[in-house]
Amino acid sequence: MDGVNVSGVRAAARIVARPDGRGGTALPVLEGDGPLAPRRTRGSAGEARVVLVGAMSGPLGGDEFAVRAEVEDGARLRVGSAAATIALPGQAKGAARYEVRLRVDGGGELEWLPEQLISARGSDLHVGTRAELAAGARLVLREEQVLGRAGEEPGRLTSRLTVCVEGRVVLDQELACGPGAPGGWDGPAVLGGHRAVGQLVVVRPQFAAEPVVARVLGEGAVVMPLAGPAALVGAVAADGLRLRRVLDDALAVLR
């Protein structure tokens, strides 16, 4: 359950997708508390869709949010969010934390497509996303971070993304930006002065036999094969709108 203490708000949400036996996908578990409110929306044939609705502002300093999604064999799930997540400073001391845990069984498919995360001035947020996939699982995972609102300096943002396929780590990367982050984060080797950064991970069984070819996808984006049936797109852009266009174009290519 959620609660407020000296450390801020603690809240969790959980989604479980399971075949319904009629060619569709059921959601036997769809629960959340506090600021995390998952809602089922109309899906396509065979696919369940869920939107995470922010019932409160945040995460604020000291908050701890956790979201877990599990997709069983034969189920298809698409998860998005109703609006951007804005990391804000809060009255509680310490950084906010937002943990996402994803599991996809063999034969399952998950599209994890939340709206952008905006790091507002004075905030301090640690985001950790970990996806674990069995053999034959399929995944599309998008992360987008925008440093500061319009005309604003960013807060501190630390983001770690880990993807495992059949128990093997195929991606484990961390990026820290903003005040207090290691030097060079805004230099030419990392963001190069851009205000938006994103990652797109696509896991497809066919990539094992036909790996994705590394190449540049327009200005500020590259696609790279991973050590498994997966590919990573990394992109930077001047703002969130341009970043989304770049990642949408990249996804169309990888599909």
Side-chain angles (χ1 to χ4, degrees):
M1 296 296 292
D2 63 299
V4 180
N5 55 32
V6 294
S7 299
V9 174
R10 295 183 179 180
R14 183 172 176 233
I15 306 164
V16 176
R18 179 178 299 162
D20 64 6
R22 304 185 301 274
T25 298
L27 298 174
V29 179
L30 185 64
E31 58 190 22
D33 51 39
L36 299 175
R39 299 287 184 263
R40 182 164 192 167
T41 61
R42 184 182 299 274
S44 60
E47 177 188 73
R49 294 191 178 187
V50 172
V51 172
L52 284 171
V53 178
M56 298 168 55
S57 62
L60 309 178
D63 290 353
E64 295 183 6
F65 294 177
V67 179
R68 180 181 297 273
E70 304 165 33
V71 182
E72 298 183 3
D73 183 5
R76 295 172 57 205
L77 175 64
R78 180 186 177 109
V79 179
S81 54
T85 297
I86 304 179
L88 298 165
Q91 294 182 349
K93 295 182 179 180
R97 297 187 178 276
Y98 200 133
E99 300 292 334
V100 176
R101 296 292 179 264
L102 310 174
R103 193 200 78 207
V104 188
D105 293 343
E109 181 172 353
L110 172 63
E111 293 195 358
W112 188 263
L113 303 170
E115 293 301 312
Q116 296 171 339
L117 169 63
I118 301 173
S119 174
R121 182 173 58 188
S123 65
D124 187 355
L125 176 63
H126 291 251
V127 180
T129 301
R130 184 179 181 90
E132 298 187 359
L133 287 77
R138 299 162 68 90
L139 173 71
V140 174
L141 185 156
R142 181 183 69 208
E143 283 194 344
E144 299 170 305
Q145 290 115 19
V146 179
L147 304 182
R149 294 170 290 193
E152 177 186 69
E153 292 300 313
R156 179 167 181 174
L157 176 63
T158 304
S159 175
R160 184 170 183 176
L161 173 60
T162 307
V163 179
C164 302
V165 180
E166 296 184 69
R168 179 185 182 187
V169 176
V170 300
L171 176 67
D172 191 358
Q173 68 175 25
E174 182 173 289
L175 176 65
C177 306
W185 65 269
D186 201 24
V190 187
L191 296 188
H194 293 88
R195 297 291 297 250
V197 57
Q199 295 76 232
L200 179 71
V201 179
V202 179
V203 180
R204 292 284 184 267
Q206 59 265 36
F207 288 169
E210 300 177 4
V212 171
V213 177
R215 59 191 184 277
V216 176
L217 296 176
E219 184 178 355
V222 295
V223 59
M224 299 163 283
L226 299 176
L232 168 69
V233 176
V236 293
D239 54 47
L241 180 60
R242 296 179 189 181
L243 178 66
R244 175 64 59 85
R245 289 173 179 167
V246 170
L247 293 181
D248 282 349
D249 289 346
L251 182 56
V253 170
L254 291 176
R255 285 191 191 278

